[in-house]
Structures are given as structure tokens and as C-alpha cells.
Amino acid sequence: MMKTDKGMSIIVKTVTRISVWLIILYGIYIIVHGHLTPGGGFGGGVVIALAFLNVMLAYGKEFTEKWLNFQLLHDIESSSVTVFLVVGILGISLGGAFLANFLSKGDLFELYSAGVIPVFNILIGIKVGISLFLVVWLLAGINPEEEDE
Amino acid sequence: MTIYLLCFALFLVGLYGVLTKRDIVKIILSIGIMGYATNLFLVFVGYKSGAIYPILSEGKCIQPMVDPLPQALVLTSIVIELGTTALLVSLAIKLFQKYSTFDITKIRRLSG
Amino acid sequence: MPIETWLTFILVFMILGSIISLEIKDILSSIIAIGVVGLGVSLSFLFLQAPDLAIVQFLFEIFALIILIRAFIKKDYHVEEPRIVNKILIGITVITLCAVFLLSIKLFELLPPFGEPLMKTAQYYIDNGVEQTGAANFVSAIILDYRAYDTLGEITILFTSVLGVFTILRIKSKVKKVTAGDDDEN
């Protein structure tokens, strides 16, 4: 199923080329509207990971390694936790407590509202999406070595 | 009451799998079943009959809502479960590469 | 139809699915049966008015299915027939678990009955959540504002588990190369 490194047929590749951006857009929508509608950083992050996984299934592992910079992805994933901590520490100086909500609350039902919650949602989305994709990429990379045994 | 007991029965099925199965894959699946039962039980405890989901929407009057606190805790629990599943799968793959089997009794014999 | 009937039906279905997935021989059928159980969990979350959880559980199910199939579908799957001692042990385990189930029926009567939660802390969140956080989704407000410490710990655990996967798989490839070299020398 996922074994073919050269990828699947041209129909699958064409559909993937169109649909992967729509899936990523849907994931970004779920993440950004996390404080208004069901969803949030966890659900949207998994959607983005599944979009990248779609590319890896259709085009194969080698193409995906050329298309994405995995070292950069690893750095972004690790630094998002640090940014989460930095935003939390900013809450001490600006809001009076660790992880305090120091930005303006805005109006209810607006996109730019709820202070610091959308920022945390975006950070969690980046973290969950990239780390889950990296796990699957590692598991996919390790199996061909076994079959040589 | 009946629902709580059925949920507990689901947990015990997972525990039965962990205790008696000799296959690492089956043990990983059993741990997953125990996680499902625990998450479901937490959400059962927070359900209020006749209430709606805990999300406000525009132009709707405020109605009684279900308990949002167990839902928030379970939301993080589900994602942690995915991370631990990936960790267990990678451990199982490492064991398979070393011993060429998933049977835990054989693994014990080879190491001793 | 009341919600209890639906939930009882789904739970019986899930118990049957998990027993099938534990007892069946074929590994692919087992993984697919566990996927059915997870989708049952997602459906019950929808009935219990938790759309956030239903979305995340559904995606989790697809992801776990892909990981498990990717990891285990190619493996040589062979487990010996259990001996008589093992059968006796399985029987003792089943009897013990049934006893635990029967003895804990009393315990569940102490819990608040289904449909009437206590909601002391949560009522405070629902009453004051809009003024204090400005978010319409109370689940988001709780996990990212009132209880952001929990979320910080959660992403720390996720980070650690991903690092664990990286470490385990890298160590394995090195070990394997060493053993292959030894085989060549021999």
C-alpha cells in the first residue's frame, strides 16, 4: 500500500496535487476558528498532518523529502514549544500571572477576539501537525531496511 | 448506571487482552481499548440530560449546557494517547528487528 | 428514543468489536476491528454533545489505523497454539475479571446518576467564561486559558514521545548495521 516509493498512478497524483492545498486550507480554518467553533489546535493539527501524509502516500517518500525541508520542520516543531513558554512568561509581566490572557478580549463571535487563545491554538496546531507527520515519516523510512533482512 | 457498567466491561475486556495475549500487537490494541473506555467514562460523567454542546453561537438564547471540563481533559488525553501509541509501535518494531517475532514468551526465552 | 438506548446499543457493539479484534487470528482484521471500536467512540461523543471530541477522535482513528497498518502489515505473523497451562491461566484470568465486575456493581451506585452531573467548577466557567476570556467555545477557553498549565504539560508529553520515537528508531538502525557487519566478518 505505502510501499511503492515511485508513487501511485497519474490519476491519484493529479487529484492529490489539487486536493492537498484544500485540505491544508481546511486545517488552517479549523485552527484559526478554534475559539468560535468546534475544533482547535489539536483537530486542525491532525488534519494538516494527514494532508502531508496524503502527499507521501501518493508521490512516495523520495519526492516528499525533496519537496519538504525536514530539518526545518524539525526546528519549527521544537521551537513552537519554546514560543508557547515565551508567550506564557510574557503573561507574567503584562498580565500578572503565568499564561495569563494579556491581549484585548475583543468582541464576542469576532475572529480577532479572545486575546491569547488563538495564538496558543496556532502554536499547538503547528506542534501537533508537524510532530505527527514526522512520526509517520520515520516509521515509513524504517521499514525497507527490515525487508532486506 | 447500565451505561457505566457497560463502559467498565469494555475496560475489563482491554485488561483481559493485556493480561492474557502473547502478541505485542494485540497488547498495543488492548491498551488502546482501555484508553477508549476511560475517555468515554469521563465524558459520560459530565453529560447532562437535555443540555446542548458547550459552544455559544450567534443569535441563540442561552440554554443549559453539558459539563465542558471533562471534555477539555479528554481532548488532551486523546492526543497523548496517539503519541504513546506511536512510541509503543516503534518499540515493537525494534523488538521485531532484534528477535524476528512478536511473541513475548519467545522474546523472554531468547534474552534469558 | 432516549439517548441511553442509543448509547447502550453502541457500547454493546464496541464490546463485541473489541472481543473480535482480540480473538481473531488475522492481524489486518484485528486492526480494522479496533478501528470500528474507535468510530463507535466518536459516534458516542456526538451523542453526548461533544463535537470537539468527535472531530479529534475521528481523525485520531484514521491516523492510528495508518500507523498500525504501516508498521505491522508486512510482518510474519505466527503465534503458537497455547498449551494447557496457558489455557488454565486464561480461565483463571477470566473468572477473576468477572468477579471484579460483579463486586464493583455496588461502587457505581455511589456515582451521580447518568444525566445529572455535579458541575460545581464547570458552572463557574460557564457563567463567567465569556467575560473573562472572550471565547465562544468553552472547551477552548478551558484548555487554553483557565487550565493552560495542563496544555503546556500535554505538549511537553507529546514532544517527549516524538523524541522517544526518533531516539528508538535511530538506535535500532545503528545496532542493525553493526550486526550486519559482524555477519559479514563471520
Side-chain angles (χ1 to χ4, degrees):
Chain A
M1 176 185 164
M2 283 171 67
K3 182 172 172 287
T4 53
D5 270 344
K6 294 160 197 161
M8 294 188 182
S9 70
I10 189 157
I11 300 173
V12 179
K13 283 185 180 178
T14 311
V15 172
T16 302
R17 199 183 305 146
I18 299 167
S19 69
V20 65
W21 300 109
L22 295 175
I23 298 172
I24 290 177
L25 188 67
Y26 180 60
I28 292 171
Y29 165 78
I30 286 185
I31 290 174
V32 171
H33 286 77
H35 56 293
L36 301 175
T37 53
F42 298 106
V46 183
V47 170
I48 287 181
L50 283 171
F52 287 141
L53 186 58
N54 191 355
V55 175
M56 201 171 82
L57 288 175
Y59 279 87
K61 190 163 167 286
E62 293 172 4
F63 178 84
T64 317
E65 282 169 358
K66 274 188 283 182
W67 184 54
L68 293 169
N69 187 349
F70 276 88
Q71 193 58 47
L72 183 66
L73 284 185
H74 205 328
D75 293 345
I76 291 172
E77 182 231 346
S78 308
S79 59
S80 65
V81 184
T82 317
V83 177
F84 196 103
L85 265 179
V86 166
V87 175
I89 290 171
L90 275 180
I92 296 180
S93 59
L94 299 175
F98 185 57
L99 294 165
N101 197 342
F102 59 88
L103 293 176
S104 90
K105 306 290 189 294
D107 297 329
L108 194 61
F109 306 125
E110 292 289 322
L111 184 57
Y112 299 104
S113 67
V116 85
I117 290 177
V119 179
F120 283 159
N121 257 333
I122 291 169
L123 288 174
I124 291 172
I126 292 171
K127 169 77 194 134
V128 171
I130 296 178
S131 61
L132 291 182
F133 174 62
L134 284 177
V135 166
V136 178
W137 173 66
L138 271 177
L139 287 175
I142 217 69
N143 269 13
E145 290 185 357
E146 288 180 354
E147 285 156 8
D148 294 339
E149 279 183 328
Chain B
M1 179 67 192
T2 317
I3 294 176
Y4 291 163
L5 283 177
L6 282 173
C7 197
F8 188 58
L10 185 64
F11 182 83
L12 287 181
V13 170
L15 192 59
Y16 160 78
V18 171
L19 289 176
T20 59
K21 291 296 160 192
R22 309 195 305 166
D23 198 348
I24 288 183
V25 186
K26 293 277 175 71
I27 290 175
I28 292 174
L29 296 184
S30 311
I31 292 171
I33 292 171
M34 289 165 74
Y36 290 150
T38 314
N39 291 343
L40 258 185
F41 184 74
L42 284 175
V43 182
F44 280 153
V45 172
Y47 179 72
K48 191 176 185 179
S49 51
I52 62 160
Y53 46 87
I55 297 167
L56 293 176
S57 52
E58 223 162 350
K60 199 168 67 177
C61 58
I62 293 181
Q63 287 171 287
M65 289 176 177
V66 299
D67 196 348
L69 192 55
Q71 298 189 10
L73 298 181
V74 168
L75 188 60
T76 56
S77 160
I78 291 172
V79 181
I80 290 174
E81 206 176 295
L82 191 48
T84 50
T85 306
L87 191 61
L88 285 172
V89 165
S90 65
L91 276 173
I93 290 176
K94 186 185 174 187
L95 279 173
F96 188 85
Q97 283 191 339
K98 193 161 183 181
Y99 296 111
S100 299
T101 180
F102 279 138
D103 196 341
I104 53 171
T105 56
K106 282 186 186 172
I107 289 170
R108 194 183 300 144
R109 198 181 305 146
L110 282 170
S111 72
Chain C
M1 217 147 80
I3 185 171
E4 284 89 351
T5 316
W6 285 108
L7 286 175
T8 310
F9 178 69
I10 295 173
L11 273 169
V12 170
F13 188 65
M14 280 164 55
I15 290 172
L16 287 179
S18 49
I19 289 173
I20 287 171
S21 82
L22 288 181
E23 293 300 331
I24 208 164
K25 295 279 185 215
D26 185 22
I27 195 67
L28 181 62
S29 311
S30 175
I31 291 173
I32 289 173
I34 211 76
V36 168
V37 178
L39 292 181
V41 174
S42 176
L43 195 58
S44 352
F45 283 156
L46 267 186
F47 277 115
L48 291 164
Q49 306 285 343
D52 290 281
L53 293 178
I55 291 174
V56 175
Q57 179 72 42
F58 186 76
L59 294 166
F60 165 87
E61 210 42 60
I62 296 169
F63 214 91
L65 206 68
I66 292 173
I67 287 181
L68 288 171
I69 289 180
R70 181 72 187 105
F72 295 133
I73 196 63
K74 296 283 180 194
K75 302 295 184 294
D76 183 21
Y77 182 68
H78 177 68
V79 172
E80 294 173 4
E81 287 294 312
R83 282 168 292 177
I84 297 174
V85 182
N86 284 329
K87 280 182 182 171
I88 293 171
L89 284 178
I90 288 172
I92 291 173
T93 313
V94 171
I95 291 169
T96 313
L97 290 179
C98 287
V100 167
F101 180 74
L102 291 176
L103 289 176
S104 60
I105 289 177
K106 280 273 183 191
L107 189 68
F108 285 91
E109 291 172 357
L110 298 175
L111 288 170
F114 182 72
E116 300 167 20
L118 287 175
M119 285 183 74
K120 285 178 182 166
T121 317
Q123 197 58 49
Y124 173 80
Y125 291 154
I126 290 176
D127 290 340
N128 301 310
V130 173
E131 300 164 19
Q132 291 180 350
T133 66
N137 187 345
F138 287 115
V139 178
S140 271
I142 288 173
I143 62 172
L144 295 174
D145 195 314
Y146 288 113
R147 299 197 170 219
Y149 260 131
D150 284 1
T151 312
L152 183 61
E154 186 271 335
I155 61 173
T156 312
I157 291 171
L158 190 62
F159 187 53
T160 314
S161 76
V162 172
L163 283 185
V165 173
F166 267 69
T167 313
I168 287 167
L169 294 180
R170 278 185 189 158
I171 282 175
K172 179 185 56 183
S173 63
K174 278 179 192 167
V175 165
K176 189 179 161 289
K177 274 172 196 166
V178 169
T179 54
D182 288 344
D183 288 345
D184 290 342
E185 287 168 9
N186 291 335

